Amino acid sequence: MGRRKVRLELITNDSVRKTTFRKRKGGLLKKASELKTLCGVDTCAIIYTANDVEPHVWPSPEDAQRVLERFQSLPSKKQGKHMLNHEDYRPKDVSMLELKLENGIKRNQDLEMELLLLDHLSGKNVVDLIKDDEMKMLYQSVDDKIRDLTLQMANLKASEVEEDAYSTAPAN
Amino acid sequence: MGRRKVRLELITNDSVRKTTFRKRKGGLLKKASELKTLCGVDTCAIIYTANDVEPHVWPSPEDAQRVLERFQSLPSKKQGKHMLNHEDYRPKDVSMLELKLENGIKRNQDLEMELLLLDHLSGKNVVDLIKDDEMKMLYQSVDDKIRDLTLQMANLKASEVEEDAYSTAPAN
DNA sequence: GTCACTATATATAAGGG
DNA sequence: TCCCTTATATATAGTGA
């Protein structure tokens, strides 16, 4: 769409390529925005530039907000066939602690399942930039999750040690 | 871009909205594809339709393949400020097992970090459809990861029990 | 590298099977 | 609903400041 038809192939000239990228990125975002508005679908554009390490995400602030909410309420459904059969990897006879450990495993599986989604998206070059504030919120959210998980594992370990104490030398 | 200028607002008429969605989705994908080719960036379009539960992802088969590879080689960098300070949650005096447990935690943190990326993307309505084969590969990848993690945790638990045995009743 | 300005190339809203 | 077709609306390649 310009003075002349361009061949669909990598633009070798650096500056030209950058300029084209900038222009087209804008166009793509606009299109995505329109699609979202006109059709009521929650579009999202992303771009991992070879330069930046951080992925650039788009929507608007409200969108990012909603993303977080949706993410946090993300239930452990869909796990179906992806639920791992623990039996295969569990040393026999460790009954007492199984439940707790399983909880931990289950949690990890939840994470993995969400990771699956990430799979579909990571490694892609996306189209935009998330505001700093939103970024912080996202990070905060993950930090919280990490905290929970770590605490849980620590407790698990602690209780195991405890249990052990019981079976060999009752707590003072 | 049509017989007449359309107002930027949700199209109320169902059939019209659907048609417009289909058309514009195609256009957006084409644009993304061009951007990818012309600028050498790995574009990716996604759409979570209100109807379908599964997200629809786009690129081409080769892209999906690359996604997987990139994902699997995803190092544990970037963790920086997101590394959790275990000290705060670790019951004191459990030295012997710490390392193993920490490995487990570390792993979880890796997952969490990747989850962070997901944060940026989930909950968005994206633009496309991944081929069944690719989907299977992705699932397989996650399954493998789940297997690793589970096995690791099982081993961790097993070795703890073992250690315990040693300190109280030397193995037969 | 960026911005503005066109001339063109594309995308697509309406309509008609 | 899905394809066509066609009239217009948009996107953008090339160019100059």
Side-chain angles (χ1 to χ4, degrees):
Chain A
M1 316 123 143
R3 292 309 181 79
R4 71 179 205 189
K5 188 174 171 67
V6 294
R7 299 218 313 163
L8 236 61
E9 57 181 25
L10 181 66
I11 297 172
T12 55
N13 183 301
D14 273 31
S15 63
V16 173
R17 189 176 61 256
K18 272 193 175 181
T19 297
T20 293
F21 175 72
R22 196 157 42 72
K23 283 183 175 180
R24 279 171 174 266
K25 168 184 167 182
L28 199 57
L29 288 186
K30 186 178 178 184
K31 288 288 187 185
S33 176
E34 294 180 349
L35 180 62
K36 168 184 168 182
T37 301
L38 294 172
C39 306
V41 297
D42 214 351
T43 49
C44 152
I46 308 175
I47 293 183
Y48 274 61
T49 57
N51 311 319
D52 309 302
V53 185
E54 305 278 334
H56 296 248
V57 189
W58 163 54
S60 57
E62 314 85 69
D63 289 306
Q65 181 63 51
R66 183 176 37 200
V67 171
L68 242 190
E69 290 167 5
R70 243 209 233 188
F71 174 62
Q72 297 183 322
S73 63
L74 226 177
S76 312
K77 303 170 184 174
K78 297 193 239 171
Q79 293 204 339
K81 40 189 173 183
H82 296 291
M83 283 294 267
L84 183 68
N85 179 352
H86 305 165
E87 310 305 331
D88 302 341
Y89 308 98
R90 185 194 304 145
K92 299 174 181 177
D93 190 44
V94 274
S95 55
M96 201 68 253
L97 310 175
E98 281 187 350
L99 245 162
K100 291 173 185 170
L101 215 204
E102 284 198 52
N103 283 339
I105 292 176
K106 185 118 188 322
R107 181 146 200 161
N108 287 328
Q109 293 185 317
D110 284 359
L111 297 178
E112 292 281 13
M113 281 316 295
E114 288 168 344
L115 241 185
L116 183 156
L117 250 187
L118 169 60
D119 254 348
H120 298 177
L121 307 167
S122 72
K124 312 268 187 158
N125 283 46
V126 203
V127 190
D128 217 0
L129 219 138
I130 195 162
K131 299 293 187 309
D132 282 339
D133 289 348
E134 300 157 15
M135 191 66 96
K136 284 180 185 172
M137 294 188 65
L138 291 174
Y139 279 136
Q140 187 55 58
S141 165
V142 174
D143 276 344
D144 289 342
K145 281 174 174 292
I146 291 177
R147 179 166 296 101
D148 284 346
L149 187 57
T150 307
L151 178 54
Q152 179 181 314
M153 292 193 72
N155 285 337
L156 169 60
K157 185 178 52 133
S159 54
E160 287 183 355
V161 171
E162 236 178 274
E163 301 254 15
D164 178 61
Y166 271 114
S167 66
T168 61
N172 59 307
Chain B
M1 320 125 137
R3 293 308 182 76
R4 69 180 208 190
K5 188 176 171 65
V6 295
R7 301 218 313 161
L8 236 61
E9 58 181 26
L10 181 66
I11 296 171
T12 54
N13 183 302
D14 271 31
S15 63
V16 173
R17 188 175 62 256
K18 271 193 175 182
T19 297
T20 293
F21 175 72
R22 195 159 42 73
K23 283 184 175 180
R24 281 172 173 266
K25 171 184 167 183
L28 199 57
L29 288 186
K30 185 177 180 183
K31 288 287 188 187
S33 176
E34 293 180 349
L35 180 63
K36 168 185 168 182
T37 300
L38 295 171
C39 305
V41 297
D42 213 352
T43 50
C44 152
I46 308 176
I47 294 182
Y48 275 60
T49 58
N51 311 320
D52 308 303
V53 185
E54 304 280 334
H56 296 246
V57 189
W58 162 55
S60 57
E62 313 85 71
D63 289 307
Q65 181 63 51
R66 182 175 38 202
V67 171
L68 242 190
E69 289 166 6
R70 243 209 234 187
F71 174 62
Q72 297 183 323
S73 65
L74 227 177
S76 312
K77 303 171 184 173
K78 298 194 237 170
Q79 294 205 341
K81 41 190 173 182
H82 296 292
M83 284 293 268
L84 183 68
N85 179 352
H86 306 166
E87 309 306 331
D88 303 340
Y89 308 98
R90 185 193 303 146
K92 298 174 182 177
D93 190 43
V94 275
S95 56
M96 202 67 253
L97 310 175
E98 279 187 351
L99 244 162
K100 292 172 184 170
L101 214 205
E102 284 197 52
N103 283 338
I105 292 176
K106 183 119 187 323
R107 180 148 201 159
N108 288 326
Q109 293 185 317
D110 284 1
L111 296 179
E112 291 283 12
M113 282 317 294
E114 290 169 343
L115 239 187
L116 183 155
L117 253 186
L118 169 60
D119 255 349
H120 299 177
L121 308 167
S122 71
K124 312 267 186 157
N125 281 47
V126 202
V127 190
D128 216 0
L129 218 136
I130 196 163
K131 299 294 186 307
D132 282 340
D133 289 348
E134 301 156 16
M135 190 66 95
K136 283 179 185 170
M137 295 189 64
L138 291 174
Y139 279 137
Q140 186 55 58
S141 166
V142 174
D143 276 344
D144 288 344
K145 282 175 174 290
I146 292 178
R147 178 166 297 103
D148 283 348
L149 187 57
T150 306
L151 177 55
Q152 179 179 318
M153 291 193 72
N155 285 337
L156 169 60
K157 184 177 54 126
S159 55
E160 286 182 356
V161 171
E162 237 178 89
E163 300 253 16
D164 177 62
Y166 271 113
S167 66
T168 61
N172 62 304

